[in-house]
Amino acid sequence: MAAAGVGAVRAADEPPVELPAYAVSFPRVALQDPAGSFPMPVTALRYEPLADVETRNLAEGQADVTIRGGIFENTGFRVGGVALYDPQTGHYFAEIPVAPAMLTAPTVLTGVDNALEGFNANAGTVAYGWQRVRPRGELTAAAGEFGSYRASWYEGAVAEAPVAGQTLGADAEVARAGSNGSRPFGDYRFGRVDGRLQLAGADSQTDLFYGYQGKFFGWPNLYTPFGSDETENLETVLVALNRRQRWSADDWLEAGVFWRRNKDDYAFNRFAPLGPIHPFQHTTWAEGAAVSGHLDLGAFALGYDAEALTDDLKSTSLTFGRFHSRDYFKLGAAPEKTWSLAGRRRLTVRAGATFDDTNRDGSAVSPLAEIALTDARPDGTTERLHLSYARSTQVPTYTALDSSPAAGLFRGNPNLGRSASHNLELGYDRAHAGWQAHVAVFYRRDDQLVDWTFQRGVIARIASPVDIDTVGAEAVWRLTLSRGEVVLGYTVLHKTADYLGAVVDGSFYALNFPKQRLTAAVTVRLGAGFELRMDNEARVQEANPLRTEGGNEAVISSAGLFYRPPATPDLELSLQADNLWDTNFQDIPAVPAPRRTISAGITTRW
């Protein structure tokens, strides 16, 4: 379970603001904006110590997000009360057309929290909350190497007169970015338009959101290792309504509904002539409703989650398999009991189960249990020690189910079924004054996980079930000082895999993981209006026969120097660099790394 504290996504950039009690999250990265694009929700995960982002072109182009050595389709995303999902492929899970200024910093859910609050995600869930609207504005423009540019405008407004005893607010954003590409045929063009209405009370918040994001980007070997210049053309629309209500510290409810459409037009060879029917064109629709909360019943409490989702696929290539639409249902309940011990220590035990079902697959009941010892000392020190076990299940996406099993670039398997994961975790969290620490050791067994593999002599990726044991440990340490902040993270992983007799010469995902990964986020306020922010990661990657350059060890950094003139603190000048050391390390085997990109920008706030 990730440690959390009070903060906001851009806490380093904005004056203090009173937040509602439930906006509880800390950014653990120094740079919230990339050098070559406007920020997206995935940007804040690039150097997140509890998650790993594997990029194509740049993270804002295409990002696979993994947690604790899982694969991209093991990771779920939650915004407010609803879990967002793309039924075609996990490559598009992070396509969330929401301005980061509207969201809290991400929290990473694992173990029991993921089993209860996640959806169709066995390794973990990245959860964002809706931020409170306040009257402010921001305009940013930047330009850099390779013809890159980015521009964004954000405005938030709050009505002076209350509406039904609540505050009416609204915010909106427009953003654009583009580049000729840091590699040949790595050009991109991004655009986003989104807006929100909000009613907020002292203990409640209702948000109505609409967002559209369009992205075109190219990259050599974008998805295949065959030396082709490939492109993606994505259009994502999200409509969401969310309500959160809190009655006490331990008594709250959050409910939401959403509708999402994702259009994807992929080209294996961007120079090949196109006929009236594009060979890899897909549209998915997903809509759902969810309610979750924590109910304090006096003698005991109840954590609960209920979700229903339906999807549909229209595709020119995913025409095989048994079905192209599916309905999903999930129910979860975890009663808990707390006993007061000596001093301020408390012992909490929670145990329950989740029920998952679809109209296309068999159902599953999965147990979960946790015992936690907490202590809040008079000197302000807080501690939490927990031991947990959780089982969770998930069903495969349509690219794995409905690709041709015998031909084409991506070969599926219509007989793939529900995979199961068993998670055992021991964790410890401690906070005192200006520092926080989180340590956890874990074991996860994945049964029938769907991986994509390579076989020599076969020009295709193949969907292959695999049983995997993952053993690991993670640690995060955060120190806040008067002149800056340091966040250190470390993860160590070991895997054992059994492909159940299949011929596998290389794994693109399940066996592409860091054996060791160290992250360091540093923010230093230099004085006279200058501030230095730097994110770093050093990694030792598991060897992979598909990796063609960059080796298995890498140090990757992003850095930014920011200046606010003391006389005009609402104006900020910036100089930023991504991939500062210009490393060639391939996050995803056979996919070339982006080159170093430097940009200069100006931001004004009001």
Side-chain angles (χ1 to χ4, degrees):
M1 184 179 66
V6 179
V9 173
R10 297 172 182 267
D13 295 335
E14 300 171 356
V17 57
E18 182 179 354
L19 297 177
Y22 48 80
V24 181
S25 56
F26 254 140
R28 285 181 288 265
V29 297
L31 287 163
Q32 299 295 318
D33 293 354
S37 169
F38 55 79
M40 302 180 188
V42 74
T43 302
L45 299 174
R46 295 184 303 165
Y47 294 91
E48 163 64 49
L50 299 178
D52 193 13
V53 178
E54 300 167 347
T55 66
R56 295 177 172 88
N57 195 324
L58 68 166
E60 292 72 28
Q62 202 282 307
D64 292 343
V65 180
T66 68
I67 295 173
R68 290 185 171 179
I71 71 167
F72 63 104
E73 292 195 329
N74 278 147
T75 301
F77 286 85
R78 190 178 184 97
V79 177
V82 298
L84 302 182
Y85 181 66
D86 190 283
Q88 182 202 334
T89 171
H91 293 314
Y92 307 138
F93 285 1
E95 297 300 324
I96 302 174
V98 185
M102 299 181 185
L103 301 174
T104 64
T107 298
V108 179
L109 307 178
T110 57
V112 167
D113 293 326
N114 175 65
L116 186 62
E117 300 179 44
F119 172 82
N120 210 50
N122 281 346
T125 295
V126 179
Y128 303 86
W130 290 105
Q131 192 65 271
R132 185 69 63 100
V133 175
R134 63 185 183 89
R136 70 179 188 91
E138 181 176 304
L139 179 65
T140 295
E145 291 184 287
F146 313 112
S148 64
Y149 68 90
R150 55 188 172 96
S152 62
W153 165 80
Y154 170 84
E155 183 75 38
V158 175
E160 294 184 3
V163 176
Q166 299 188 79
T167 300
L168 175 63
D171 56 357
E173 183 231 32
V174 177
R176 292 190 63 84
S179 172
N180 297 327
S182 64
R183 290 186 182 271
F185 309 113
D187 50 317
Y188 58 85
R189 298 186 299 276
F190 303 152
R192 182 175 65 213
V193 178
D194 51 341
R196 180 174 57 141
L197 291 174
Q198 183 183 92
L199 274 177
D203 297 303
S204 66
Q205 184 173 305
T206 303
D207 295 272
L208 176 62
F209 171 84
Y210 169 85
Y212 166 84
Q213 185 168 275
K215 301 197 316 189
F216 169 87
F217 55 98
W219 202 246
N221 283 7
L222 186 65
Y223 291 108
T224 68
F226 309 126
S228 183
D229 293 315
E230 308 172 35
T231 62
E232 276 271 37
N233 198 338
L234 299 172
E235 293 184 69
T236 309
V237 178
L238 175 65
V239 181
L241 175 64
N242 196 83
R243 169 75 175 182
R244 183 165 179 112
Q245 178 74 49
R246 180 179 289 276
W247 295 277
S248 69
D250 296 319
D251 204 353
W252 59 270
L253 176 146
E254 188 161 24
V257 295
F258 80 94
W259 179 88
R260 180 183 185 273
R261 186 194 70 196
N262 192 70
K263 297 176 69 175
D264 163 40
D265 192 352
Y266 162 71
F268 170 67
N269 180 356
R270 67 185 298 168
F271 305 109
L274 289 173
I277 298 177
H278 294 194
F280 299 101
Q281 192 171 57
H282 324 281
T283 304
T284 57
W285 293 265
E287 55 193 53
V291 59
S292 59
H294 190 270
L295 184 61
D296 186 355
L297 298 172
F300 68 96
L302 176 68
Y304 59 91
D305 181 83
E307 304 189 41
L309 186 145
T310 184
D311 67 36
D312 194 17
L313 166 74
K314 181 179 180 181
S315 173
T316 59
S317 61
L318 303 178
T319 56
F320 300 83
R322 298 177 288 117
F323 53 88
H324 300 89
S325 65
R326 185 159 49 189
D327 300 328
Y328 309 74
F329 307 94
K330 179 191 174 183
L331 295 172
E336 66 182 57
K337 175 70 175 178
T338 299
W339 293 268
S340 296
L341 305 178
R344 299 186 181 183
R345 289 185 298 166
R346 297 194 306 171
L347 179 68
T348 301
V349 176
R350 59 172 168 166
T354 60
F355 171 78
D356 293 278
D357 195 16
T358 80
N359 64 331
R360 307 291 191 180
D361 312 89
S363 61
V365 176
S366 303
L368 57 89
E370 181 184 64
I371 181 169
L373 179 66
T374 60
D375 190 11
R377 299 178 184 175
D379 65 355
T381 301
T382 60
E383 292 182 301
R384 186 177 192 271
L385 176 68
H386 73 273
L387 175 66
S388 68
Y389 166 79
R391 182 182 186 268
S392 59
T393 70
Q394 67 181 88
V395 293
T397 56
Y398 290 127
T399 298
L401 289 170
D402 293 341
S403 294
S404 169
L409 296 170
F410 309 94
R411 300 194 183 177
N413 183 346
N415 299 315
L416 293 170
R418 184 180 293 276
S419 62
S421 182
H422 304 264
N423 295 269
L424 181 65
E425 171 181 324
L426 175 65
Y428 174 72
D429 296 272
R430 181 184 175 98
H432 177 74
W435 64 270
Q436 297 175 332
H438 162 77
V439 179
V441 293
F442 51 87
Y443 165 76
R444 186 178 67 252
R445 190 183 83 223
D446 290 301
D447 298 327
Q448 303 287 298
L449 171 70
V450 179
D451 188 22
W452 289 89
T453 62
F454 173 79
Q455 183 179 339
R456 289 186 177 89
V458 179
I459 308 299
R461 290 177 182 238
I462 303 168
S464 303
V466 58
D467 292 345
I468 287 190
D469 293 326
T470 303
V471 178
E474 66 188 20
V476 181
W477 180 75
R478 181 190 195 110
L479 177 64
T480 301
L481 302 170
S482 60
R483 300 297 294 260
E485 188 172 63
V486 177
V487 181
L488 300 178
Y490 177 73
T491 302
V492 58
L493 297 167
H494 175 76
K495 289 189 176 188
T496 304
D498 178 5
Y499 282 90
L500 309 175
V503 178
V504 173
D505 293 316
S507 163
F508 285 95
Y509 303 114
L511 298 185
N512 177 46
F513 65 95
K515 295 188 292 184
Q516 296 186 74
R517 178 175 181 252
L518 174 68
T519 62
V522 180
T523 300
V524 182
R525 287 178 281 278
L526 302 172
F530 286 93
E531 183 173 85
L532 175 67
R533 303 176 207 158
M534 192 171 186
D535 285 303
N536 310 270
E537 75 165 3
R539 60 195 301 145
V540 179
Q541 197 82 358
E542 177 75 6
N544 193 302
L546 293 165
R547 185 166 285 109
T548 57
E549 66 174 343
N552 297 316
E553 299 180 6
V555 175
I556 304 169
S557 301
S558 294
L561 181 64
F562 301 85
Y563 174 64
R564 286 186 176 185
T568 54
D570 291 334
L571 179 68
E572 180 180 82
L573 306 177
S574 63
L575 181 66
Q576 290 185 243
D578 284 342
N579 192 7
L580 183 63
W581 317 120
D582 206 21
T583 177
N584 287 322
F585 174 74
Q586 296 176 343
D587 285 346
I588 301 171
V591 181
R595 311 304 304 176
R596 176 176 52 221
T597 300
I598 299 175
S599 68
I602 182 171
T603 298
T604 181
R605 299 180 177 91
W606 55 90

